[in-house]
Amino acid sequence: LMPHMDLDKRRGKGGKVHKVMGEYKRGELHSGSKHGPLVTSKEQAVAIAMSESGQAKKKRSKGKRRY
């Protein structure tokens, strides 16, 4: 492992999810900014974790688009 790399970068996308879910478990996860309301549901915490790690972006097929 490279000591100069950030821990999240070494873990990849799973590290970011782990970090966000840890914040939720400790009651420190806010929705929006650090001054926003605390996240109360696990589903919302998972959605924030996936969004921050970039795993929430899905590629859409060309046949399913609406204009």
Side-chain angles (χ1 to χ4, degrees):
L1 298 176
M2 295 181 226
H4 67 276
M5 287 183 70
D6 190 32
L7 185 60
D8 286 338
K9 289 183 182 177
R10 277 190 266 151
R11 287 183 179 164
K13 293 181 180 182
K16 186 69 171 180
V17 173
H18 184 76
K19 180 181 173 188
V20 171
M21 292 309 290
E23 286 181 19
Y24 166 71
K25 190 173 182 181
R26 291 187 300 273
E28 301 172 354
L29 182 62
H30 295 267
S31 62
S33 66
K34 291 293 180 187
H35 302 289
L38 286 173
V39 173
T40 56
S41 69
K42 188 172 184 179
E43 289 81 13
Q44 189 179 6
V46 170
I48 291 170
M50 293 297 163
S51 175
E52 287 189 10
S53 67
Q55 295 179 18
K57 297 180 177 82
K58 293 184 180 180
K59 293 183 179 179
R60 296 176 59 173
S61 64
K62 291 184 179 181
K64 295 277 184 174
R65 290 185 184 170
R66 291 185 181 177
Y67 294 102

